[in-house]
Amino acid sequence: MSRLVIVSNRVVVPEPGKPPPPGGLAVAVHAALKNREGLWFGWSGKVDEDPNVEPTIAVRDNVTYAVTDLSSADYQEYYNGFANRVLWPILHYRVDLAEFNRSDLTGYLRVNGLFADQLTKLLEPDDVIWVHDYHLIPLARELRQRGVNNPIGFFLHIPCPPPDLLFTIPRQEMSLGVLSYYDLVGFQTENDRMNYGRYLVASKATVSRDGTAYSIDGRMMRIGAFPVGIETEDYAELAIQAENTAFSNEVRGSLADRKLFLGVDRLDYSKGLVHRLEAFGHFLETEPTWVNRVTLLQITPKSREEIPEYSDMSRDVNELVGGLNGKYGEAAWTPIRYINRSYSRPELAGLFRQSAAALVTPLRDGMNLVAKEFVAAQDPNDPGVLILSQFAGAAAELDAALIVNPHETEGMAAAMKQALEMSLDERRDRQARMFASIARHNINWWAETFLAKLADTRRSFLIGQLRSLFT
Ligand code: G6P
């Protein structure tokens, strides 16, 4: 079996006993590399004025981690700049929040070049390369220019909006258009895939007769939808083990028989926290019998704190939480526990298992693995209810959740009431349907389906089969 080389912007070398970094990408890639020989290359998360030109190498189990630092100019222009102030907002349908300047794009392209320089030296001829997420869109072109001829796939973990929004990305021939240097580009949902396919056609690419391949300036690529999953069985087992730990019991005891609503999100404007909190306030306002009988625990690690849109929203959320707790709180009850730290996987699994409902209500999300982990963690005999935004990629699969429009405050508040009052039969039925879906399409299915398609695409290129689809 050839070695799998994963490239992503952020790489956290696992340390025993420490929680993995928040975010679906890290969770998915860690799981995909388990039981495979692999190399994972990317940014160490450190900023250094004089970064090494060679990556730092560490080996954990069968995975080699190669991480590199960024200079502060790289960090500002590539990470805080083009990746997170242009691509992130636009791909999340928030053109209004995008801030573009040319030096950030130059930094973005420069870091992709630096990554390609370092990675090329680590590659072996049989390696299969799988690049992840919006930070690294131009990486395949950089690698090809350095003579790398290995199969290279790309997976976009975040949404792909319709062409009209994609066309707002400035100078996209330098950024988005270069995806065509990959052999295979994967998206979370059919909707994302179709949006990108329409974008390619609008950008004058030729589409193959079977509609799965595109040709741009003589380069051929395939695109497909591969919804990312979780380690469903392992997670379910973890939640059983986590049910009665000292931590779980302490939280349960502190609730004093009140129901628990749980939200777990990075502090990000795409997660719809303000909308969720307003809906919870509306629920308490309109359903006074539930006042002092339900607590919302919102776990929200801070992220990208140097970016102004993030500090603005941090302030908004703080104010809203303070206002609601002031208005509805009592001497012995705080309606919202708002926490800016992360918890370990077992701790979260234990919290999911004791929750009456999870509030997964992003305004836009590529997939949202919290939704899937919540389902995996439930006791099938007495499961909690998943309240899920129609704009999370997960809603395409988890249609037995209570699907809500996060922009509709009253509808969200009604779903909160419905979740608390739902019969045991209905909860079991919804849970069984959702669990079957995440058991079928788990993380192994995701990685294997993508990698098999990548291998097949390369084979078709080599024997010229794909080319014949265009003639
Ligand atoms: C999302 C993105 C990932 C990213 C993660 C955390 O899940 O898809 O690429 O790593 O958020 O964000 P950060 O900026 O802290 O890496």
Side-chain angles (χ1 to χ4, degrees):
M1 206 198 225
S2 34
R3 188 174 68 152
L4 179 60
V5 175
I6 298 274
V7 193
S8 68
N9 170 56
R10 188 184 287 281
V11 180
V12 179
V13 182
E15 269 182 59
K18 284 249 176 109
L25 182 148
V27 173
V29 170
H30 268 292
L33 271 174
K34 220 170 145 185
N35 311 324
R36 269 199 183 84
E37 195 204 345
L39 169 72
W40 189 353
F41 174 86
W43 176 40
S44 62
K46 295 193 193 112
V47 177
D48 187 332
E49 267 335 305
D50 188 17
N52 286 343
V53 282
E54 300 294 330
T56 308
I57 308 280
V59 181
R60 300 277 183 278
D61 297 326
N62 48 353
V63 178
T64 304
Y65 293 82
V67 294
T68 187
D69 301 344
L70 291 179
S71 72
S72 53
D74 290 345
Y75 171 67
Q76 286 307 340
E77 293 170 358
Y78 152 81
Y79 174 77
N80 282 335
F82 194 73
N84 284 319
R85 286 194 92 188
V86 177
L87 293 176
W88 179 272
I90 294 178
L91 294 176
H92 283 88
Y93 295 64
R94 293 299 303 269
V95 178
D96 59 311
L97 295 182
E99 286 293 331
F100 173 73
N101 58 62
R102 287 193 168 189
S103 58
D104 287 348
L105 176 57
T106 307
Y108 179 78
L109 297 171
R110 180 178 65 245
V111 171
N112 272 269
L114 288 172
F115 276 16
D117 282 339
Q118 297 195 4
L119 181 61
T120 305
K121 294 186 200 141
L122 301 171
L123 290 176
E124 292 165 14
D126 279 351
D127 287 345
V128 172
I129 305 169
W130 192 2
V131 178
H132 292 261
D133 237 358
Y134 58 101
H135 316 82
L136 301 173
I137 289 171
L139 190 68
R141 178 182 57 186
E142 298 295 329
L143 291 170
R144 298 284 184 230
Q145 283 170 351
R146 287 160 179 76
V148 173
N149 194 28
N150 303 48
I152 316 182
F154 177 85
F155 188 80
L156 185 68
H157 287 255
I158 67 174
C160 184
D164 279 353
L165 289 178
L166 292 174
F167 281 120
T168 64
I169 297 172
R171 315 202 67 198
Q172 49 197 270
E173 71 288 358
M174 315 279 284
S175 48
L176 203 62
V178 297
L179 275 176
S180 61
Y181 285 82
Y182 290 94
D183 298 304
L184 174 65
V185 174
F187 297 90
Q188 296 277 23
T189 64
E190 271 302 317
N191 190 43
D192 296 323
R193 183 197 64 80
M194 282 187 316
N195 284 338
Y196 190 67
R198 285 167 51 217
Y199 166 81
L200 286 174
V201 171
S203 312
K204 309 276 182 282
T206 316
V207 58
S208 65
R209 285 199 304 277
D210 69 350
T212 66
Y214 294 80
S215 166
I216 302 150
D217 300 333
R219 291 184 303 277
M220 282 176 296
M221 69 187 297
R222 265 202 178 131
I223 68 174
F226 306 87
V228 66
I230 61 165
E231 294 173 290
T232 308
E233 303 292 342
D234 290 0
Y235 203 89
E237 187 52 43
L238 182 72
I240 294 171
Q241 304 303 328
E243 189 164 12
N244 285 310
T245 57
F247 171 77
S248 287
N249 289 335
E250 187 190 359
V251 176
R252 196 178 290 111
S254 75
L255 293 169
D257 283 335
R258 293 184 187 91
K259 300 281 185 193
L260 176 62
F261 278 174
L262 185 62
V264 181
D265 313 78
R266 270 184 319 102
L267 185 59
D268 193 296
Y269 48 80
S270 64
K271 303 293 183 185
L273 292 173
V274 166
H275 297 66
R276 184 182 308 167
L277 292 166
E278 282 173 348
F280 186 61
H282 188 79
F283 166 71
L284 294 176
E285 178 79 44
T286 52
E287 299 296 334
T289 55
W290 280 104
V291 168
N292 203 347
R293 288 173 56 214
V294 56
T295 297
L296 169 56
L297 171 57
Q298 179 61 52
I299 297 176
T300 308
K302 287 198 172 178
S303 93
R304 307 178 196 164
E305 289 177 70
E306 289 165 42
I307 301 176
E309 291 75 29
Y310 286 77
S311 35
D312 290 351
M313 88 150 286
S314 179
R315 217 181 20 252
D316 293 347
V317 173
N318 286 343
E319 262 179 38
L320 202 48
V321 170
L324 289 167
N325 280 341
K327 184 167 175 187
Y328 295 103
E330 296 177 12
W333 173 62
T334 305
I336 305 165
R337 298 182 185 176
Y338 176 58
I339 296 168
N340 291 132
R341 54 157 286 188
S342 51
Y343 284 89
S344 70
R345 243 165 95 77
E347 285 167 335
L348 281 181
L351 292 177
F352 286 142
R353 198 163 169 97
Q354 62 177 283
S355 300
L359 310 185
V360 184
T361 57
L363 303 180
R364 222 22 102 162
D365 216 332
M367 175 52 64
N368 199 304
L369 294 184
V370 167
K372 293 189 172 180
E373 288 173 348
F374 176 78
V375 172
Q378 296 313 298
D379 175 352
N381 293 318
D382 185 16
V385 176
L386 176 61
I387 299 181
L388 180 60
S389 163
Q390 67 189 85
F391 303 117
E397 294 163 85
L398 301 180
D399 55 0
L402 284 185
I403 303 289
V404 293
N405 176 350
H407 298 281
E408 200 208 335
T409 309
E410 290 163 325
M412 290 240 283
M416 291 174 189
K417 176 175 156 68
Q418 193 185 345
L420 289 168
E421 295 173 3
M422 190 181 286
S423 71
L424 181 58
D425 277 354
E426 183 176 348
R427 280 189 281 130
R428 283 183 180 160
D429 176 57
R430 288 175 182 267
Q431 168 66 17
R433 285 191 279 151
M434 291 192 289
F435 191 86
S437 159
I438 60 168
R440 200 167 45 244
H441 289 160
N442 62 12
I443 192 73
N444 294 332
W445 174 89
W446 173 70
E448 276 155 24
T449 314
F450 183 93
L451 292 170
K453 191 74 173 172
L454 177 58
D456 177 66
T457 302
R458 276 295 274 215
R459 239 186 337 267
S460 315
F461 285 160
L462 291 178
I463 60 175
Q465 208 178 36
L466 211 54
R467 190 169 295 281
S468 70
L469 284 174
F470 290 95
T471 52

